[in-house]
Amino acid sequence: MEPIDWSNLSFGYIKTDYNVRCYFKNDAWGDIETSQSEYINLHMAATSLHYGQEAFEGLKAFRGKDGKIRIFRLEENAARLQSTCRGILMPELPTEKFREAVIKVVKLNERFVPPYESGASLYIRPLLIGTSAQVGVHPATEYLFMIFVTPVGPYFKGGFSTNPYVIIRQFDRSAPLGTGTYKVGGNYAASLRANKMAHDLGYSCEFYLDAKEKKYIDECGAANFFGIKDNTYITPQSTSILPSITNKSLMQLAQDMGMKVERRQIPEEELSTFEEAGACGTAAVISPIQRIDDLENNKSYVISKDGKPGPICTKLYNKLRAIQYGDEADPYGWVTVIE
Ligand code: PLP
Ligand code: COI
């Protein structure tokens, strides 16, 4: 293999050695299989291709100073995948099966887990698709669950540094009673134009307002939002955003640091009152926000006056990373250490 420049990885796809697969047929999940192929053989009438019966997840493995590999909160990803399965009528993959598959694929690709010093990680991408043929709009009877892994660096430019974001009003990512709380590919298809628009305008990522009233902050295309003020961590309550495992973890860490935590609607104008704010997610980790522009309303909410990450974002980021890399204790059992 070509030597990998671990410290300069972007968030892209690099071929690794193996992926794992598990088939659902005759109402039962089979054994976990190993494959070296990057391809799948799929029926052209598969429900995943036509009716969006597709779910995915994203989690990471980290190599510690001790050389050990740690996987972050995999049970939470298993639970969210099960929730997505209920949401689009796919069979739920048991947590034990999910765990076995994640551990297996990480071990098989151990040489791709970036070294501790690089600050990079191994991104783990599980996906579940309807594979059997269906022409009417109905769920499939057969499914394929698979996981590939790929070493990654930061999702947003500059890693832990501030970036500008923009509210896009022309498009909604998901409806209030739609699929926004599920991790289905359709939500990301719905975000592509807004995301391109944001990038073309020079922003890191697009922000969505709630689709019904266009009044409250929902989330970004690939990360949740949080704001900090008066020693309080504030994050949106909404029926159309993905329940982020990173956000859930940060809420706990903020509370442990003696902060108040609020989950509630955040009106757009409140952005002007935050001392700090960030976008958070597995890929994004914490991406501190420099400012959020609302071009159609001719508004610019500048959050970081000096353009630097604020002290609370920095503290939360360092604490989260320390737990993930095994530098600090893991009081909540978030980490699975690979033996
Ligand atoms: N919101 C969206 C739309 C996402 O795609 C992601 C990424 O998974 C998140 C939020 C963050 O979720 P998590 O922290 O579980 O990765
Ligand atoms: C993640 O953070 O895992 C994501 O899914 C973000 C994006 C790459 C879709």
Side-chain angles (χ1 to χ4, degrees):
M1 123 181 149
E2 290 261 305
I4 296 176
D5 183 1
W6 300 110
S7 301
N8 289 306
L9 284 172
S10 62
F11 195 88
Y13 178 82
I14 292 175
K15 183 183 186 306
T16 54
D17 291 335
Y18 299 97
N19 56 81
V20 294
R21 304 171 182 212
C22 182
Y23 294 89
F24 182 88
K25 274 188 194 137
N26 303 320
D27 286 327
W29 288 102
D31 292 331
I32 294 165
E33 300 170 18
T34 301
S35 172
Q36 283 185 282
S37 169
E38 291 170 281
Y39 295 90
I40 52 177
N41 200 6
L42 193 59
H43 194 289
M44 63 185 176
T47 61
S48 50
L49 296 179
H50 297 261
Y51 305 129
Q53 263 203 314
E54 187 272 352
F56 69 100
E57 271 302 329
L59 61 161
K60 279 177 172 172
F62 305 85
R63 194 183 293 281
K65 229 185 249 172
D66 54 8
K68 287 189 182 159
I69 299 169
R70 290 168 174 80
I71 306 170
F72 191 65
R73 304 199 80 170
L74 69 87
E75 297 82 4
E76 288 287 331
N77 291 91
R80 190 170 65 190
L81 179 60
Q82 289 155 6
S83 159
T84 300
C85 287
R86 293 191 292 275
I88 61 166
L89 297 187
M90 302 200 289
E92 290 177 41
L93 185 83
T95 301
E96 248 333 289
K97 199 65 122 180
F98 185 89
R99 164 195 286 281
E100 187 189 333
V102 168
I103 292 174
K104 185 164 191 169
V105 74
V106 171
K107 277 188 171 167
L108 285 167
N109 294 290
E110 197 183 328
R111 69 191 183 105
F112 292 96
V113 184
Y116 172 77
E117 300 73 30
S118 65
S121 56
L122 186 74
Y123 186 67
I124 304 167
R125 173 52 67 86
L127 64 147
L128 172 54
I129 57 173
T131 52
S132 53
Q134 197 70 264
V135 185
V137 182
H138 301 290
T141 53
E142 294 181 2
Y143 294 82
L144 166 61
F145 171 72
M146 55 191 301
I147 311 182
F148 69 80
V149 296
T150 195
V152 294
Y155 189 69
F156 291 122
K157 217 173 58 195
F160 191 68
S161 58
T162 66
N163 278 309
Y165 292 77
V166 65
I167 291 170
I168 299 284
R169 289 169 170 272
Q170 293 98 315
F171 303 108
D172 295 318
R173 175 184 167 274
S174 66
L177 299 177
T179 55
T181 55
Y182 307 125
K183 205 158 166 67
V184 296
N187 295 338
Y188 298 82
S191 78
L192 291 173
R193 284 181 76 186
N195 184 261
K196 181 175 183 326
M197 199 178 250
H199 281 142
D200 287 352
L201 291 164
Y203 295 95
S204 243
C205 192
E206 79 282 14
F207 251 97
Y208 296 94
L209 298 177
D210 77 285
K212 195 171 173 186
E213 296 188 69
K214 292 279 186 191
K215 209 172 147 188
Y216 303 102
I217 299 295
D218 250 358
E219 64 174 334
C220 316
N224 274 185
F225 171 82
F226 67 85
I228 307 277
K229 66 176 174 187
D230 307 327
N231 199 35
T232 309
Y233 180 104
I234 306 165
T235 193
Q237 180 89 55
S238 164
T239 56
S240 49
I241 64 177
L242 193 76
S244 156
I245 295 158
T246 312
N247 197 4
K248 190 173 174 180
S249 309
L250 294 176
M251 284 188 249
Q252 182 65 57
L253 297 178
Q255 207 178 312
D256 294 351
M257 286 172 191
M259 297 177 71
K260 245 175 73 187
V261 173
E262 289 178 8
R263 274 181 86 185
R264 58 166 172 81
Q265 290 183 314
I266 301 177
E268 180 187 324
E269 313 77 66
E270 193 177 347
L271 290 176
S272 65
T273 67
F274 289 123
E275 297 152 15
E276 299 180 39
C280 65
T282 298
V285 195
I286 292 179
S287 183
I289 294 173
Q290 196 265 319
R291 66 173 202 279
I292 302 177
D293 292 346
D294 181 348
L295 300 176
E296 278 134 294
N297 268 356
N298 216 3
K299 292 226 171 84
S300 180
Y301 304 94
V302 177
I303 289 166
S304 170
K305 308 274 182 300
D306 62 359
K308 293 195 189 116
I312 292 172
C313 280
T314 306
K315 214 169 147 188
L316 285 169
Y317 177 86
N318 288 339
K319 184 76 189 174
L320 179 71
R321 300 284 278 180
I323 294 173
Q324 291 175 330
Y325 282 92
D327 292 334
E328 281 186 34
D330 171 28
Y332 301 104
W334 286 345
V335 163
T336 301
V337 184
I338 303 292
E339 298 299 340

